[in-house]
Amino acid sequence: MQYTGRMVIAHRLSTIRSANLIYVIKDRKVTACHPTLIDKKGLSSKCALPYTSWLIQFSLLSKRSKAIAKRIRWDPIDIRWASGEEQQICLKLSTDPGLEWIIHYEKKRKFIPIHCPWKYPYFQSNLLGPNALHVLCLKDNGIEDITQMMEHICEVFRSPICEMHIIEESLIEWIIKFQPIIRHVFVRENVLTSVESLDRILENLEVTESFWSKYHACFQYKEPIPSRSITIYNSYWLTLPSILNGNNSITFLYDSKLTPTDINTILKEWQSGFKLRNLEFMAIEVFTLLDIHRYSNEVLNNLPNIVENNGRPMTVKTHDDNIWTLPEGPPVHNIIRSDGTILSIFRHDDVIVARGVSDSEEPLDDGSSSSDAST
C-alpha cells in the first residue's frame, strides 16, 4: 500500500483553501470538510466529505501521520470484514449509524467500466435517503494486504473487529493471533479442510455472539459450538449430541439430517429442564420423504398439548441488525416446562417454528423446530 501526499498545518483558512482535504481539530476531536463547502463565515456546518476514509489514507502516509491520527479522540467504531465476490472492510460510528464507510477491494477485471477510474485509490459516495454510503476503492493485491489494513484501522481507531468473514484457511491463524475474542464469525465454503480445522477455530477463538458456517463437511461433529447464536448451512455434519450439550440461545440448522426422533428428543430434553436451558429460538430445516403430517406426529410424540401461549413474543433478534419475525398464525403445539416456560411450535409453509413464554405471559425462554418436507 503506497500513498503520497503533503500535510500542511495552518491557522488561517486562506492558507489551505486549495487543499484536497481540510481537517479541523478542536479539543482533540476532528471534523473534515472539502474546500468547496467553505462559505463566507468560514467552514460550512454541512461538512459532507467522508473524512473517515480520508483519515485512513492520511494515516498510511508516514509514521508521523499515523501518530497524529491516533491522538484524535474517536467514539467506538464498528469494524467488519465482509466478503462476497470481492472483499470489503465496513466501518460505522456508533453515534451515527446512518453513515457507513466501506473499503472495497476490487479484483483485476478484464474489462473496466467507462465510469470507473483507471487508478487506485478512488472514491464514491451515495446518498440513500437519510443514510450515506462512502466507498473507498482499492486494488485487491491479496489477503495479506487486507489483513494489514485491518490491523492498521484497529490501531488508529482503537476499536476491535466486530465481525469477521473467514474466506480462506490462512485467516484462521491470523484472527486467532490478532484478536482471539470477537462478536461474529462467518466461515465461508471450502475453508475448513478437516475436523481439526473446525476444532482449531472453536477452541482458540471465542465467538461471543454469532457463529455462521456454510461448510460442506464429510464427518460427524459431536462437540457443542460455544456461541450464543449459531447458523449452520449444510448442517448434516452437526449431530444430536452437539445440539443437546450446547448452551446456544439461538440455533438455525439448514439441510439437517436430524430424524423426527432426534427432534422429539430435543423437545423432551428442553421440557425436562436439564439441557438446553438457554434456548430461546431454534429452527431446523429437514428434507424428508415422509408425509408432512406423519413427520409432525413423530416429532410431537408423547408431548401433550395442554397449555395456551397467546402472550408469546413475535420477534427474536438473531444478529445486530437482523430481526426474525415468527408466523402470525396459531401454534401447532404448546408444551410446558416445570419452571412455567412454554414452548410454542408452529408450522408455516411446511416449516415448524417455536417460541416460548412463561405462563404469566412474560417472555422467558423459547425454542423452535422447523421442518421442510420434500418428496
Side-chain angles (χ1 to χ4, degrees):
M1 296 179 292
Q2 297 294 327
Y3 297 91
T4 59
R6 180 179 300 168
M7 180 179 66
V8 178
I9 300 175
H11 295 280
R12 298 184 61 182
L13 189 60
S14 58
T15 306
I16 54 173
R17 184 175 293 273
S18 60
N20 295 76
L21 179 66
I22 300 174
Y23 286 97
V24 180
I25 300 177
K26 182 179 180 180
D27 297 329
R28 295 181 64 191
K29 290 189 176 182
V30 67
T31 302
C33 298
H34 194 275
T36 57
L37 296 175
I38 299 175
D39 54 29
K40 293 181 180 179
K41 297 181 180 179
L43 293 174
S44 169
S45 60
K46 300 179 181 178
C47 297
L49 193 69
Y51 57 87
T52 298
S53 300
W54 290 105
L55 179 62
I56 292 171
Q57 293 188 76
F58 167 73
S59 61
L60 288 165
L61 292 176
S62 66
K63 291 182 178 180
R64 184 180 180 186
S65 299
K66 184 176 182 179
I68 294 173
K70 289 171 62 176
R71 291 180 62 86
I72 300 171
R73 272 197 316 233
W74 289 95
D75 291 317
I77 194 167
D78 186 289
I79 305 173
R80 299 173 188 261
W81 180 326
S83 65
E85 293 184 1
E86 297 178 323
Q87 307 307 308
Q88 294 182 339
I89 298 175
C90 305
L91 310 173
K92 279 187 178 182
L93 287 171
S94 58
T95 55
D96 196 345
L99 285 175
E100 183 173 8
W101 294 267
I102 294 178
I103 302 176
H104 184 93
Y105 286 86
E106 293 187 341
K107 295 181 179 178
K108 184 178 180 180
R109 292 182 172 88
K110 186 175 182 181
F111 300 101
I112 300 179
I114 297 176
H115 65 274
C116 179
W118 288 84
K119 292 184 178 181
Y120 295 101
Y122 69 90
F123 183 80
Q124 295 177 333
S125 287
N126 295 305
L127 296 178
L128 308 171
N131 301 325
L133 177 65
H134 307 296
V135 183
L136 173 65
C137 297
L138 304 176
K139 184 179 179 181
D140 189 345
N141 293 316
I143 289 296
E144 184 177 352
D145 203 31
I146 305 176
T147 55
Q148 288 178 0
M149 178 66 84
M150 286 291 279
E151 293 174 6
H152 179 82
I153 290 173
C154 290
E155 184 179 359
V156 169
F157 292 99
R158 298 186 296 280
S159 297
I161 301 171
C162 175
E163 179 174 326
M164 177 73 189
H165 287 213
I166 300 178
I167 58 171
E168 62 178 55
E169 195 169 6
S170 64
L171 288 176
I172 297 175
E173 298 303 322
W174 175 79
I175 190 62
I176 289 174
K177 182 179 179 180
F178 179 69
Q179 186 182 308
I181 302 176
I182 190 169
R183 286 174 55 82
H184 308 283
V185 166
F186 195 117
V187 182
R188 288 292 184 178
E189 302 94 329
N190 305 319
V191 171
L192 302 175
T193 57
S194 64
V195 67
E196 289 77 18
S197 299
L198 180 58
D199 282 334
R200 178 68 175 156
I201 293 178
L202 299 180
E203 293 175 3
N204 296 278
L205 193 62
E206 182 180 344
V207 184
T208 59
E209 282 297 317
S210 64
F211 178 87
W212 292 57
S213 173
K214 285 192 173 182
Y215 178 41
H216 292 271
C218 56
F219 55 80
Q220 298 292 297
Y221 196 73
K222 298 182 180 181
E223 298 299 320
I225 298 178
S227 182
R228 189 189 75 86
S229 172
I230 62 172
T231 300
I232 310 296
Y233 296 89
N234 311 306
S235 64
Y236 44 80
W237 52 271
L238 196 65
T239 62
L240 181 62
S242 176
I243 298 170
L244 294 179
N245 295 325
N247 292 316
N248 314 107
S249 297
I250 298 171
T251 301
F252 287 90
L253 302 179
Y254 296 97
D255 194 18
S256 174
K257 296 301 182 184
L258 294 175
T259 66
T261 302
D262 292 334
I263 299 176
N264 180 261
T265 300
I266 292 173
L267 296 176
K268 288 181 178 178
E269 289 290 347
W270 176 88
Q271 187 180 43
S272 69
F274 295 106
K275 295 185 177 181
L276 304 171
R277 294 287 302 179
N278 296 327
L279 188 64
E280 297 178 11
F281 178 88
M282 179 180 288
I284 305 175
E285 178 190 73
V286 180
F287 295 89
T288 178
L289 297 177
L290 293 176
D291 176 79
I292 185 61
H293 299 291
R294 179 183 172 186
Y295 190 94
S296 297
N297 290 335
E298 293 187 24
V299 167
L300 303 173
N301 185 39
N302 292 325
L303 292 169
N305 185 16
I306 57 174
V307 293
E308 294 185 359
N309 191 16
N310 296 323
R312 63 187 179 276
M314 293 304 297
T315 60
V316 60
K317 188 175 182 179
T318 60
H319 191 272
D320 290 347
D321 302 320
N322 295 337
I323 303 294
W324 181 275
T325 302
L326 297 172
E328 296 182 358
V332 174
H333 210 83
N334 290 319
I335 59 176
I336 189 169
R337 199 163 60 185
S338 59
D339 62 0
T341 305
I342 299 173
L343 178 75
S344 292
I345 305 169
F346 296 83
R347 192 168 73 206
H348 177 66
D349 292 334
D350 295 336
V351 177
I352 301 173
V353 186
R355 178 73 165 169
V357 69
S358 71
D359 54 1
S360 62
E361 297 189 355
E362 295 179 358
L364 294 177
D365 296 325
D366 51 1
S368 77
S369 161
S370 72
S371 173
D372 279 346
S374 178
T375 58

